[in-house]
Amino acid sequence: MSEIEIRLVRFDAPVAQQLIRDALAELGARYGGTGDDTPVAATEFEPPDGAFLVAYLAGEPVGCGGWRSHGADTAELKRMYTAPAARGRGVARTVLAAVERSAREQGRKRIVLECGDKQPEAIAMYTAAGYERIPNFGFYKDEEGCVSFGRTL
């Protein structure tokens, strides 16, 4: 198995934007529409108030994830994605750990996320990583099928 390399990139970098487009297309196929209409600005992912990470396998970008501030001591996980060809190789778990580490290094004590109930793979990964259900929050908090998770860092 190839080693997964994680790189900090700007949210608006072309490599990040391509992975995000792929993620939104997949969400659109699962849920309809654009996939996710949550307002997101590239500046929200700039250290020390956020970060965006891209995973590479054999030099190819295969996954991403980032965090943005959600209050003084909490980070919100956003735009987690692994390309279908790279799934099952630990990419998502590696990105998640790197995102959590980045948020912790910037003083965040907790991380939260919102997800949809049509993403059982993601829900299983978050649960296995120690995330627990929390009250829904964010753009989709009142939508049917929204599920939110959090954990202490």
Side-chain angles (χ1 to χ4, degrees):
M1 174 159 62
S2 298
E3 184 175 329
I4 300 164
E5 179 188 356
I6 302 292
R7 298 181 198 164
L8 178 66
V9 302
R10 290 183 52 86
F11 184 86
D12 55 4
V15 66
Q17 287 299 300
Q18 182 59 58
L19 288 164
I20 291 165
R21 281 192 297 276
D22 293 346
L24 293 176
E26 184 170 314
L27 290 173
R30 289 184 191 219
Y31 297 101
T34 63
D36 186 352
D37 293 322
T38 303
V40 175
T43 55
E44 295 176 299
F45 296 87
E46 293 178 7
D49 297 318
F52 199 77
L53 306 168
V54 171
Y56 291 80
L57 272 176
E60 293 297 316
V62 295
C64 63
W67 68 273
R68 63 183 182 176
S69 290
H70 187 82
D73 65 352
T74 302
E76 179 186 7
L77 180 69
K78 291 299 295 177
R79 302 296 185 244
M80 279 287 294
Y81 175 72
T82 301
R87 292 182 184 161
R89 299 174 72 180
V91 173
R93 288 187 308 276
T94 301
V95 170
L96 181 62
V99 167
E100 291 172 344
R101 186 169 42 258
S102 170
R104 195 171 35 252
E105 288 170 354
Q106 295 300 328
R108 299 316 189 270
K109 306 221 179 312
R110 183 160 179 75
I111 190 163
V112 297
L113 66 96
E114 65 176 344
C115 187
D117 63 359
K118 294 180 182 175
Q119 295 168 264
E121 318 90 335
I123 291 169
M125 182 191 68
Y126 296 134
T127 301
Y131 285 74
E132 297 178 344
R133 284 292 306 269
I134 61 171
N136 286 344
F137 71 94
F139 190 79
Y140 290 103
K141 70 180 178 184
D142 296 323
E143 296 292 322
E144 185 177 331
C146 178
V147 289
S148 296
F149 294 89
R151 76 178 286 258
T152 301
L153 292 172

